[in-house]
Amino acid sequence: MFFLGKVRSFAVVAGVCLYGMGPQMLAAQVSYDHATPAQLAGIAKDNSRHFGDDPDDAGPIATDLSGSLDPAAVGKAMRRVGDWQMARSEQYFDRIWTWSVLYGGFMAASDSLGDPNYRDAMEAMGKKFDWQLRSHLPDADDQSVAQTYLELYLVKKDPAMIAPTRAELDALLAAPHVSKRAGKTISWWWCDALFMAPPVWSRMYGATGDRKYLAYLDEEWAKTSDLLYDKQEHLYARDADYLTKTEANGKKMFWGRGNGWVMGGIARTLDYLPKDDPARAKYVMQLREMAARVASLQGPDGLWRAGLLDQGNYSEPEISGSALFTYALAWGINEGVLERKTYRPIVAKAWAGMLKHVYADGRLGCIQQTGAEPAPFKASASYTYGVGAFLMAGSEIRRMEGGLAGAKKVHKHS
């Protein structure tokens, strides 16, 4: 990663936003203006795969959206962003994780807004792929699309919707519980996996009542937590390669979106985990620990940067991680896991901050491209998974504020 030298004075560089850190503020070091050739190539690859794009001119920011938590105002912002994304992306729907997260957002929005259109598009997507996963003996990423298959099954009760997924999960249960990737000894060896796979396994339990899926979930999550969760910082390293990596200020490198994946994954897993699951209390405790730590790192603009412990070193807020944090915090309030008095102001500030990155046409900007660590991106950068997280966050906020159609969907833990 390319870094400028540290400058201990307030400065504004053309095209670079600075993050206020008090009298010892650092000049922004990680910005698109200083992206490496490898980083630019990664962005170009994501754009070529239709995950999103980052135009030089994305038009004006929306001025007709309210940052309040009023359910109608939240719903208006969700529709603006969701409709823009659907119109741009439906023809490119795929089963890779970048799309799976968007699908989860569309499902949540459909339930929250009482609008079947998004769900109907998800059912058409499932039929397009004949309800198949992306690969045989899939890793966490390739399991992720099954979250939507299973949610549709729980509404429609059509066994064809989950039969291929169940066959693959059963095959994974029978196979050695290790990664197919060389050098990785556990199945969920990277923290992102905790958003992609565990909610599939808890939903399969919800669909079948078979606790073998919970046993696998609890066993594999414990391995990942033992490896990557920092019990002092209450944050996750992205994977074992990052256990010793540091930011420019010398603090440990904890990726914003990576930790958002974990918190969002806990919420989506607990949705379908029975109250008597032996590991449930551990998931709840970890969510509480992470929520407190993340809340302490919220920026003045209500958002979080890609690098959590050196936020002054990043030129832009990062929306996908911020949306995942907002989703998990609002979910925790709704489920009685987090104290409303403490966390509602955090959620309110985050939602208002995110709306400042919604463009007039519905584009949601400041979303980092795919990767494994903090990296630079344009303010206009918009990618599918960030939109999915935003829709999930909005849905939970509407439920938190008593939105008419905000009641939680079919589920759940019992």
Side-chain angles (χ1 to χ4, degrees):
M1 186 177 293
F2 184 92
F3 295 113
L4 298 172
K6 292 185 177 179
V7 179
R8 296 191 177 274
S9 62
F10 185 86
V12 178
V13 181
V16 177
C17 300
L18 298 183
Y19 178 85
M21 296 294 285
Q24 296 299 310
M25 187 178 71
L26 304 179
Q29 296 175 326
V30 180
S31 70
Y32 187 83
D33 289 345
H34 303 99
T36 67
Q39 290 167 339
L40 293 174
I43 292 170
K45 182 177 179 181
D46 280 2
N47 295 356
S48 72
R49 299 176 78 182
H50 305 292
F51 299 165
D53 63 7
D54 60 341
D56 290 334
D57 182 4
I61 294 292
T63 59
D64 61 340
L65 297 176
S66 168
S68 82
L69 298 188
D70 174 74
V74 174
K76 180 179 178 180
M78 290 169 62
R79 289 182 187 277
R80 178 76 58 84
V81 172
D83 289 352
W84 178 87
Q85 187 67 63
M86 182 68 77
R88 287 173 57 87
S89 64
E90 189 169 12
Q91 64 180 312
Y92 303 116
F93 280 174
D94 202 348
R95 291 169 291 178
I96 194 170
W97 70 266
T98 52
W99 294 99
S100 301
V101 183
L102 175 63
Y103 302 157
F106 280 145
M107 291 293 290
S110 183
D111 290 329
S112 176
L113 299 172
D115 184 344
N117 290 333
Y118 293 145
R119 185 189 297 119
D120 290 347
M122 296 301 91
E123 185 172 356
M125 177 275 300
K127 290 177 179 177
K128 171 184 174 181
F129 296 115
D130 200 24
W131 309 105
Q132 299 286 331
L133 300 186
R134 191 165 175 260
S135 62
H136 177 53
L137 294 176
D139 66 5
D141 286 347
D142 284 0
Q143 294 170 38
S144 60
V145 70
Q147 294 183 38
T148 295
Y149 294 167
L150 281 153
E151 288 181 10
L152 286 165
Y153 166 80
L154 289 167
V155 174
K156 299 286 187 174
K157 302 298 183 181
D158 179 355
M161 293 176 167
I162 65 167
T165 297
R166 189 172 190 178
E168 287 296 344
L169 298 193
D170 288 347
L172 287 168
L173 287 172
H177 296 181
V178 296
S179 173
K180 293 186 289 186
R181 180 171 294 203
K184 305 299 182 183
T185 58
I186 62 175
S187 297
W188 300 338
W189 55 267
W190 70 114
C191 72
D192 318 29
L194 298 182
F195 184 95
M196 305 301 165
V200 173
W201 293 80
S202 67
R203 281 160 176 72
M204 187 58 77
Y205 162 76
T208 65
D210 194 329
R211 286 182 175 261
K212 68 183 180 182
Y213 301 113
L214 299 180
Y216 179 91
L217 187 169
D218 293 342
E219 174 187 332
E220 296 306 313
W221 190 301
K223 294 176 186 176
T224 307
S225 181
D226 288 346
L227 178 64
L228 301 180
Y229 187 56
D230 189 309
K231 295 180 180 178
Q232 283 70 52
E233 295 287 354
H234 292 160
L235 296 168
Y236 269 77
R238 195 273 177 172
D239 60 59
D241 292 341
Y242 289 85
L243 291 172
T244 58
K245 288 192 177 183
T246 58
E247 295 278 5
N249 64 1
K251 294 184 179 181
K252 294 179 180 179
M253 180 179 284
F254 291 108
W255 185 29
R257 185 163 72 224
N259 282 275
W261 288 136
V262 177
M263 290 180 65
I266 294 174
R268 287 178 67 78
T269 298
L270 287 175
D271 264 342
Y272 293 83
L273 204 71
K275 295 256 176 107
D276 63 351
D277 185 83
R280 185 179 181 88
K282 294 181 180 178
Y283 300 137
V284 169
M285 181 57 67
Q286 198 164 91
L287 180 60
R288 287 173 174 158
E289 290 176 350
M290 294 184 74
R293 185 65 170 120
V294 163
S296 76
L297 297 170
Q298 187 178 34
D301 59 358
L303 304 174
W304 291 264
R305 270 54 187 171
L308 290 177
L309 300 191
D310 194 6
Q311 297 206 39
N313 195 37
Y314 293 85
S315 69
E316 301 282 1
E318 203 287 304
I319 297 299
S320 63
S322 295
L324 288 163
F325 290 146
T326 306
Y327 161 68
L329 295 175
W331 181 94
I333 293 169
N334 290 334
E335 294 295 322
V337 170
L338 299 177
E339 186 181 52
R340 181 182 179 90
K341 181 179 179 180
T342 299
Y343 289 101
R344 185 182 179 278
I346 304 296
V347 169
K349 192 174 181 180
W351 184 253
M354 286 193 288
L355 289 198
K356 293 177 182 176
H357 298 274
V358 177
Y359 289 76
D361 62 358
R363 170 185 294 271
L364 179 64
C366 269
I367 299 172
Q368 184 188 331
Q369 64 276 4
T370 64
E373 64 181 29
F377 48 87
K378 292 181 186 176
S380 67
S382 187
Y383 295 98
T384 52
Y385 42 85
V387 171
F390 177 85
L391 295 175
M392 291 179 199
S395 297
E396 286 299 322
I397 290 171
R398 281 174 50 81
R399 183 162 72 109
M400 183 178 75
E401 298 300 296
L404 180 62
K408 204 62 177 168
K409 60 195 171 194
V410 180
H411 88 211
K412 281 301 180 9
H413 43 68
S414 58

